[in-house]
């Protein structure tokens, strides 16, 4: 088997593990969020949303981009140098994130009243500020686990330990009537638990042997990593600064409604997260071997199926957006329907275009990623300031989608200019030819006729998804890479697909 075929198998195998973990995580986190949203007032849920956003940006700033450095360099450094490198980076990130978290927690009242103009979010800011060091350690551990290509450990930490701890604590907070403080604690404490578990598992993957600190290699990793602080913060800005600006311009209730809509789109992100988890380090390995064509072939297959899955997800989250929110979160959040539709379209496009960022990361273009994220962040801030006062939370959604398109569109152009190749070939994007009219038919004919109940929504989502996938396969067939994966699955798992050989051969000849 060629290195390319093995790499593709590794990505798909890893993606299947990650997808299982992400589905489990999202389901548990989704249930916890629904409980919190229903239990709290819309305003209190807005405070929770603002607090979690603050924790995210604090972990990015405190981590100094070192998680991305581990992802890229652990596959490249000698075995006896890995443990020492990880230890040094852990100490650096713990020191920086502790200083930042303490500053925020101790000044929570000032931040809530003077910056956001809403004293009601003081509790959330204090609790989540104190959790920043633990969230930073978690990010670093996950970056190292990703660099070690141990997808099972990723699933254990991110998709099992963290969400299970969260939902358990949320249920306790609701049962004992602990209010906003209890729910905020239930969201923050799991970072402590999963941070320690993640760090222990990362060290478990490392060789026991260690060599003396290599100052040159450590400095190289830090130089590579630091731009990711800028790109990470910029990424947070174009993803989530609207949370803070909505709180500033509007109310904590509006923040809660927007937070529900934004969180619902997290289902869209599971596809690209699953594939990109291992595709970046594996593409880095191929690129080091000079196999640029292999890198691109790897992403052709990824793009095709990211597009197919994104179209399927647009049915419940785009076409039936308002029904989805009312059924799941109650009617008090119904105003988030149009916001969810807009964000869902943006996340669908982001799913497909985000592969270009993974390619640039794999070939060491961290500075380019920083520039792209900064441009998108500045654009997002300007659009939010212009649109939120005029259009409310709908304007914030539009600003976010435009920022996605700008950042990932720039990355797409830069991949082509850097490598003279692109993963967006006709073969990889042609499922969109069927996807657009397919969604139009669902919106025009099915949406008006479907009762707004949970079972109907699930049934229509499953049915339309199966119809669309079948249509793509019938119209465009299977690629040689997909046939290789099917045959590999037969061999690896002892499957017998002899009765379907005629169909596989027919689809492969299209």
């Amino acid at each position: 088997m060629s290195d390319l075929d093995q790499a593709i198998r590794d990505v798909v195998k890893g993606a299947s593990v990650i997808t299982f973990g992400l589905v489990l995580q999202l389901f548990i986190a989704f249930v916890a969020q629904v409980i919190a949203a229903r239990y709290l007032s819309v305003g209190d849920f807005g405070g929770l949303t603002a607090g979690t956003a603050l924790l995210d940006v604090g972990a990015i700033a405190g981590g100094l981009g070192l998680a991305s450095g581990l992802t890229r360099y652990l596959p490249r450094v000698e075995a006896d140098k890995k443990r020492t490198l990880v230890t040094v980076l852990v100490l650096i990130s713990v020191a920086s994130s502790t200083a930042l978290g303490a500053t925020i927690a101790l000044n929570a009242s000032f931040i809530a009243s003077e910056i956001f103009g809403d004293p009601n979010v003081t509790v959330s800011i204090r609790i989540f500020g104190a959790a920043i060091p633990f969230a930073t350690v978690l990010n670093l551990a996950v970056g190292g686990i990703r660099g070690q290509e141990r997808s099972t450990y990723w699933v254990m930490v991110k998709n099992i330990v963290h969400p299970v701890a969260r939902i358990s604590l949320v249920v306790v907070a609701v049962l004992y009537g602990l209010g906003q403080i209890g729910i905020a604690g239930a969201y923050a404490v799991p970072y402590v638990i999963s941070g320690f578990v993640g760090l222990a598992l990362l060290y478990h993957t490392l060789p026991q042997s260690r060599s003396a600190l290599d100052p040159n290699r450590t400095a190289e990793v830090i130089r590579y990593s630091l731009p990711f602080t800028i790109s990470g913060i910029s990424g947070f800005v174009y993803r989530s600064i609207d949370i803070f600006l909505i709180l500033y311009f509007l109310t904590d209730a509006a923040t809660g409604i927007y937070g529900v809509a934004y969180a619902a789109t997290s289902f869209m992100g599971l596809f690209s997260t699953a594939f990109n988890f291992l595709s970046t380090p594996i593409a880095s390995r191929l690129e080091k071997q000079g196999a640029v064509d292999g890198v691109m072939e790897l992403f052709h297959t990824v793009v095709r199926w990211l597009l197919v899955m994104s179209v399927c997800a647009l049915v419940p989250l785009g076409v039936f957006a308002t029904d989805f929110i009312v059924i799941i979160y109650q009617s008090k959040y119904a105003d988030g329907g149009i916001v969810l539709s807009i964000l869902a379209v943006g996340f669908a496009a982001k799913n497909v275009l985000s592969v270009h960022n993974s390619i640039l990361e794999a070939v060491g273009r961290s500075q380019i990623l920083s520039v792209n994220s900064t441009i998108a962040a500045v654009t997002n801030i300007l659009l939010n300031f212009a649109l939120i006062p005029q259009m409310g939370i709908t304007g914030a959604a539009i600003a976010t989608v435009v920022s996605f398109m700008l950042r990932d569109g720039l990355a797409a152009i830069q991949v082509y200019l850097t490598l003279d190749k692109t993963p967006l070939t006709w073969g990889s994007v042609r499922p969109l030819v069927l996807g657009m009219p397919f969604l139009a038919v669902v919106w025009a004919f099915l949406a008006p006729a479907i009762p707004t109940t949970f079972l109907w929504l699930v049934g229509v989502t499953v049915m339309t998804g199966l119809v669309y996938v079948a249509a793509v396969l019938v119209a465009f067939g299977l690629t040689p890479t997909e046939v290789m994966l099917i045959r590999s699955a037969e061999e690896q798992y002892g499957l017998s697909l002899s009765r379907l050989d005629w169909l596989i051969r027919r689809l492969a000849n299209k």
Side-chain angles (χ1 to χ4, degrees):
M1 179 176 294
S2 69
D3 289 342
L4 173 60
D5 285 350
Q6 185 59 52
I8 293 174
R9 287 184 63 179
D10 289 344
V11 169
V12 173
K13 181 180 178 180
S16 63
V17 174
I18 297 300
T19 299
F20 170 78
L22 282 173
V23 169
L24 180 63
Q25 175 195 357
L26 286 174
F27 176 75
I28 297 174
F30 177 68
V31 173
Q33 185 210 41
V34 170
I35 293 172
R38 286 172 172 254
Y39 171 69
L40 297 173
S41 67
V42 178
D44 283 347
F45 187 76
L48 181 68
T49 301
T52 55
L54 180 67
L55 177 60
D56 288 342
V57 71
I60 292 169
L64 303 176
L66 297 177
S68 296
L70 285 181
T71 298
R72 184 169 192 260
Y73 278 91
L74 279 181
R76 294 170 175 250
V77 301
E78 295 81 358
D80 63 336
K81 296 181 179 179
K82 291 186 177 184
R83 186 171 287 266
T84 302
L85 175 63
V86 168
T87 300
V88 171
L89 298 188
V90 167
L91 293 175
I92 293 172
S93 63
V94 166
S96 61
S97 61
T98 299
L100 177 62
T103 301
I104 291 174
L106 294 173
N107 294 279
S109 297
F110 173 81
I111 294 171
S113 301
E114 302 301 324
I115 297 179
F116 296 131
D118 191 344
N120 293 330
V121 300
T122 300
V123 170
S124 288
I125 291 175
R126 179 168 290 117
I127 291 174
F128 288 109
I132 285 175
F134 303 100
T136 301
V137 169
L138 174 60
N139 288 346
L140 189 70
V142 168
I145 290 170
R146 186 182 177 198
Q148 291 291 87
E149 300 178 21
R150 300 292 289 270
S151 55
T152 303
Y153 284 173
W154 161 288
V155 170
M156 189 180 302
V157 176
K158 291 282 287 184
N159 309 141
I160 297 178
V161 173
H162 190 88
V164 167
R166 175 182 289 183
I167 193 170
S168 300
L169 292 173
V170 166
V171 170
V172 169
V174 171
L175 289 178
Y176 286 91
L178 301 181
Q180 185 185 19
I181 295 176
I183 296 294
Y187 269 66
V189 170
Y191 287 95
V192 180
I193 299 170
S194 54
F196 280 113
V197 172
L199 199 59
L201 290 176
L202 170 58
Y203 272 94
H204 182 70
T205 69
L206 302 174
Q208 291 300 316
S209 60
R210 70 168 71 209
S211 62
L213 176 66
D214 182 346
N216 293 329
R217 175 51 65 89
T218 303
E220 180 184 353
V221 175
I222 293 174
R223 282 196 302 271
Y224 172 81
S225 301
L226 286 177
F228 282 99
T229 307
I230 300 172
S231 61
I233 293 175
S234 300
F236 170 84
V237 168
Y238 74 74
R239 289 194 312 270
S240 302
I241 194 64
D242 39 15
I243 295 293
F244 296 136
L245 293 177
I246 291 170
L247 184 62
Y248 177 78
F249 282 115
L250 304 176
T251 64
D252 54 2
T255 305
I257 293 172
Y258 186 85
V260 160
Y262 196 97
T265 57
S266 60
F267 287 102
M268 303 284 288
L270 89 88
F271 308 132
S272 56
T273 300
F275 280 105
N276 289 337
F277 175 80
L278 281 183
S279 60
T280 296
I282 290 173
S284 178
R285 187 206 314 158
L286 290 172
E287 186 267 340
K288 183 182 179 183
Q289 298 168 356
V292 175
D293 288 340
V295 173
M296 212 53 60
E297 183 65 29
L298 170 67
F299 282 97
H300 287 163
T301 301
V302 170
V303 165
R304 171 175 155 101
W305 288 101
L306 283 178
L307 195 155
V308 170
M309 290 184 285
S310 296
V311 169
C312 293
L314 279 174
V315 172
L317 300 179
V319 176
F320 295 96
T322 301
D323 294 333
F324 181 91
I325 286 182
V326 171
I327 291 170
I328 302 300
Y329 294 100
Q330 296 182 333
S331 58
K332 61 185 178 181
Y333 295 100
D335 290 344
I338 184 64
V339 172
L340 177 55
S341 292
I342 296 169
L343 290 174
V345 172
F347 268 78
K350 178 178 177 289
N351 265 343
V352 176
L353 294 176
S354 66
V355 301
H356 297 93
N357 298 296
S358 295
I359 295 172
L360 290 175
E361 185 178 350
V363 299
R365 301 299 196 274
S366 57
Q367 293 86 353
I368 291 177
L369 291 171
S370 299
V371 171
N372 292 348
S373 294
T374 302
I375 292 173
V378 171
T379 301
N380 183 274
I381 292 174
L382 295 176
L383 287 175
N384 272 307
F385 271 98
L387 298 179
I388 290 177
Q390 301 296 323
M391 305 174 65
I393 57 177
T394 301
I398 294 172
T400 296
V401 170
V402 171
S403 300
F404 285 163
M405 298 300 97
L406 181 59
R407 186 197 71 151
D408 296 337
L410 286 173
I413 295 170
Q414 288 152 357
V415 165
Y416 182 76
L417 294 177
T418 301
L419 302 177
D420 197 29
K421 298 178 186 296
T422 176
L424 300 180
T425 62
W426 167 243
S428 62
V429 303
R430 60 185 178 178
L432 191 60
V433 173
L434 294 178
M436 295 180 68
F438 170 79
L439 290 172
V441 168
V442 173
W443 175 76
F445 297 102
L446 278 183
I450 297 300
T452 55
T453 65
F454 177 77
L455 290 179
W456 270 102
L457 183 61
V458 172
V460 169
T461 299
V462 173
M463 180 194 71
T464 54
L466 292 174
V467 169
Y468 177 63
V469 171
V472 168
L473 291 175
V474 170
F476 307 120
L478 292 168
T479 66
T481 297
E482 290 157 4
V483 174
M484 180 272 293
L485 289 172
I486 292 172
R487 298 308 182 192
S488 297
E490 284 186 278
E491 176 185 343
Q492 184 172 357
Y493 300 111
L495 301 176
S496 178
L497 301 178
S498 56
R499 294 183 179 181
L500 298 177
D501 278 348
W502 65 273
L503 180 60
I504 294 172
R505 288 194 299 269
R506 183 167 183 176
L507 293 175
N509 292 327
K510 283 187 171 291

